Amino acid sequence: MGKEIFYFLIFPGLLFSAVIGGFLSWVDRKITARVQFRKGPPLLQPLYDFLKLLLKETIIPVRGSVFTFLVSPVLALFGATISAVFILLPLFHIETGFAGDLIVVIYLLNIPSLTYIIGAAASGNPLASVGASREMKMILSYEVPLLLVIVSVIIKAGMTISLTEIIAAQAAGGAFIGSISGVIAFLVAIFCIQAKLALVPFDIPEAEGEICDGVAIEYSGSSLALIKLTKYIMLFIVPSFVVLLLLGGFSFKGIDILWSVLKLLVIILLLTLIRNTNPRVKIDQAMKFFWIWMNLLAVIAVVLSILGL
Amino acid sequence: MAKRTIVPIGPYHPLLEEPEFFKLYCDGEIVKEVVWETGYNHRGIEKICESKTFEQVFYVVERVCGICSTSHPFAYANAVESIPGVEIPLRAKYIRSIVGELERVHSHLLWVGLAGHFLGYNTVFMWAWKYREPVLDMFEIITGNRNSYAMFTIGGVRRDIDNDKISQLKKVLDFLKTKLDLLVGAVMDDPVIHARLRGVGVLTAEDIHDFGAVGPTARASGVAIDVRQDDPYAAYDMVDWKVITAPEGDVFAKAEVRLLEMYESIKIMEQCLEGLRKDSSNEIRTKVKEIPAGIGIGHAEAPRGEVFHFVKSDGSNRPVRHKIRAPSFTCIPTFRKSCVGGTIADAAIATAAVDPCYCCTERMAQAYDIHTGRQIFSMKDLIGMSQRKTEELKK
């Protein structure tokens, strides 16, 4: 029992993934700043943001449903943390996961988005409800191509749904991105996680200039701090998940540490560059993009992986 | 009728730099109706102007708008100078045009940045504002201020641009042109921007006539109205330039018009600087002894469209009545056409596309006592007061 609590709270759960996630969000902000001729925030800025929010007053909307409103950020953080544990334990070779943990992780990664929807709906704000409906549409859009990518990974790994075995298959036969289907799958995965992390051009549920942060509009103080923390963790976990699926996971033997870190940073760099070179698209355009183009590419990736390419 | 949600934009919203309230009546994401509420920002500028001397009014009206802080003095100067019929020196004409066009460049760059920000394209925001900096520096070189230039006065301008500054300015203009090429390329060739702005918030030429919209909003719908061309003032009839129009009427056309207008502005400035260099006189101001009784009407093309000033003088040293109409006054009602039928995302950028300046347009409606909360004047009282005053003036 003690070990599980340690896994959940300290390493690789809450504390560790929040620290790394905060660092990655700093990397993201720093790169963004450099692209935009700005100086950028200091290294500890994510921590300052979090602490400042934690100490601020939490305002509860009068017309909202208080319990649901306050509990959903906690659930979001919980979902992000527990998926961090399930992804990172096999990824760091600490413990092998159980059979079928891939499926569990797919579900767990959706919890934050779903709780945002619940929280937004409970806040009773019309802008939040617009944000919630957009978030729902976004889940419907990016989830299918992401699942198809995972299907192609499963096929390549020899029909296994265990994260440890997927890593093992890549350790034995080289990372999946080394094949044509792997490259296509990686491309699709990058766009899907861009949408999952709600970064421009797919930050439609939060569109600042239109619906003022949408789902998060009514949150303030410590509950907003929890949402921020969830976002930090997601910024670490979701790219790590892609590293696990397609880039051969992490390795900690000698110089390989550097290589592992580089994989993660390259994905963050890609996400940041996409986010800084595009305007936000509209929800119907995003749905079309995922339903037609990304699904098409993902299906091609699946077919190619069946053919063994 | 299906139940409609009211999605509020404002009174405080990241889309608006100023307090203003738009109620979007939405059916899902589709905007069915737009209702706007004004009156968050009363400053009483017109009233203040009546208590200042003609010379002092310049520094009041330049604070009507922080962005077009030369258009208002420009229109006011045209209005006041039209009462005695003063002809200003050639040099002053050139300098006025240079300041006016510099303002247009800085305002359009500001708009491009903000539009990028509203689209979530913060890189364009930062880049446009970075390249706006040299323009503001140029203002500092010419007028001594980055904003609110205090440059105009009755009968001319207050500071000269000497040959030293002319070469400095030319260098900055050349630099600006290369950077504009970069920015225009980044905006005009981006397929995602095309997808996002094409066919959004369309205003036909007919709508423009119906609403009486002015400036880039009208020109983007193929209506070639521009005060600089239709009723030339300052040096605009002495230089070679053309009115930029685009036929589509959507948000992209508005962006296109603004971007291409900056090139025209640079062209005008270059010719004006050349004119200044050739002009050997150093007379920048005609002495005006007094403003006789009469009415003066003046207009100028602000970056957002026509600014209109009406000044009535009774022969004293103060205007008896000063009426200002900012371009947003006619542009804002076009939202009824451009926003309805689109999505919320479209409405957001369509409202931003006319580059509205709410505080310049706002007029007073009611007055309350700040301590007791009691109403002092209602709208009706104020109209009555205004009518009585007009009656008195007519006598």
Side-chain angles (χ1 to χ4, degrees), chain B residues 197-214:
Chain B
L197 298 184
R198 274 281 177 223
V200 169
V202 179
L203 290 170
T204 61
E206 216 167 80
D207 298 331
I208 296 297
H209 287 301
D210 288 351
F211 289 107
V214 289

Side-chain angles (χ1 to χ4, degrees), chain B residues 87-241:
Chain B
E87 182 67 19
I88 63 167
L90 183 66
R91 213 170 167 80
K93 283 184 178 177
Y94 281 132
I95 294 174
R96 279 188 179 184
S97 295
I98 290 171
V99 177
E101 290 313 302
L102 260 185
E103 175 196 77
R104 196 177 317 280
V105 172
H106 112 78
S107 172
H108 283 351
L109 277 175
L110 181 129
W111 179 84
V112 169
L114 284 179
H117 176 60
F118 299 149
L119 289 175
Y121 201 165
N122 282 335
T123 311
V124 163
F125 176 34
M126 293 294 165
W127 284 35
W129 282 42
K130 180 184 160 69
Y131 299 137
R132 182 172 159 259
E133 280 304 302
V135 183
L136 294 182
D137 290 345
M138 275 171 80
F139 271 126
E140 199 168 346
I141 294 170
I142 299 176
T143 69
N145 295 317
R146 283 160 62 88
N147 259 310
S148 299
Y149 319 112
M151 190 66 173
F152 288 20
T153 187
I154 298 172
V157 290
R158 292 178 62 220
R159 286 160 188 258
D160 197 6
I161 300 178
D162 56 26
N163 284 341
D164 218 25
K165 286 175 187 167
I166 290 175
S167 54
Q168 233 173 325
L169 294 185
K170 276 191 170 159
K171 229 179 281 169
V172 179
L173 286 183
D174 288 339
F175 168 79
L176 206 62
K177 259 193 278 188
T178 58
K179 294 303 172 192
L180 267 186
D181 287 341
L182 188 112
L183 196 68
V184 171
V187 174
M188 305 271 268
D189 300 338
D190 190 322
V192 190
I193 289 187
H194 272 267
R196 190 69 170 69
L197 298 184
R198 274 281 177 223
V200 169
V202 179
L203 290 170
T204 61
E206 216 167 80
D207 298 331
I208 296 297
H209 287 301
D210 288 351
F211 289 107
V214 289
T217 314
R219 291 196 284 275
S221 300
V223 182
I225 49 169
D226 192 321
V227 182
R228 292 175 292 169
Q229 184 205 39
D230 303 338
D231 182 13
Y233 54 96
Y236 290 116
D237 51 354
M238 291 182 271
V239 291
D240 169 45
W241 64 284

